Amino acid sequence: MNGKILIVDDDKEIRHLISVYLENEGLETTQAETAYEALRLLEKQEFDLIILDIMMPEMDGMEACMKIREERHMPIIMLSAKSEDMDKIQGLTSGADDYLTKPFNPLELIARVKSHLRRYKKYNLQSEGEKNVLIIGDLRIDTDTRLVYVGEREVRLTPKEFDILELLARNKGIVMSVSKIYESVWKEDFFKSDNTVMVHITKIREKIEEEPKKPIYIKTIWGVGYKI
């Protein structure tokens, strides 16, 4: 098995010990002494798994875990000298996938690392196969087949309705102006008095929203435009 592991611990001996065991298993390791150093490394490199100590100076592992989870989804295994159930719960609540108490059995750590790596790599392979499928909550948009589902229910959209929904979904969280939507979908200059986009948005909502007048997918940003 291959994989890149980031080991974050302020104890140099523990970092080195973990690194030796993992590299003996064919895994590549990088070490960080502090959470800040780890966050800087994550900006520059991709990792498949993180081993993260909780008790560290300046920024502890729980805070670091929450920051990592804002943008990244690789497995995180937390290490701590604390063995109380509440400490484990807090560690897992902060976004960790697993928790080991120090002193730990290196063979157990290796087994858990391999288990999480297998699941993560399997998930990534599935995601690669679905990169042309946009998923937002229960809404599923297949850009290859141009089919749309809400839960198990297939939704039939006109070509222009589909193009608008796809545009908004690909720009999730970004407010798209009416003129931008029109020009992107119709490939024509937008006229201020034209309400074509509004009419199409209304029709899309009637098809995908449980309560079209209280939409959960396509939001109106008054005076600006629409966003998902």
Side-chain angles (χ1 to χ4, degrees), residues 99-115:
Y99 188 107
L100 270 178
T101 303
K102 295 178 180 178
F104 53 86
N105 183 331
L107 296 179
E108 182 181 2
L109 176 61
I110 290 168
R112 295 197 190 193
V113 166
K114 287 184 174 180
S115 175

Side-chain angles (χ1 to χ4, degrees), residues 157-173:
L157 300 180
T158 66
K160 286 291 189 282
E161 289 169 358
F162 184 90
D163 290 343
I164 291 171
L165 184 61
E166 180 185 357
L167 177 67
L168 292 172
R170 288 194 183 280
N171 293 277
K172 181 183 175 185

Side-chain angles (χ1 to χ4, degrees), residues 180-219:
K180 177 69 174 175
I181 294 171
Y182 186 89
E183 290 172 0
S184 297
V185 172
W186 274 267
K187 312 297 183 187
E188 299 172 1
D189 291 336
F190 174 74
F191 294 98
K192 195 169 184 180
S193 59
D194 196 319
N195 65 354
T196 302
V197 171
M198 183 185 71
V199 171
H200 278 73
I201 293 286
T202 300
K203 289 180 178 178
I204 296 168
R205 282 174 171 162
E206 288 172 354
K207 295 176 180 181
I208 69 170
E209 301 282 3
E210 190 172 330
E211 295 184 62
K213 292 184 178 179
K214 297 179 181 177
I216 61 171
Y217 294 114
I218 301 178
K219 301 285 189 181

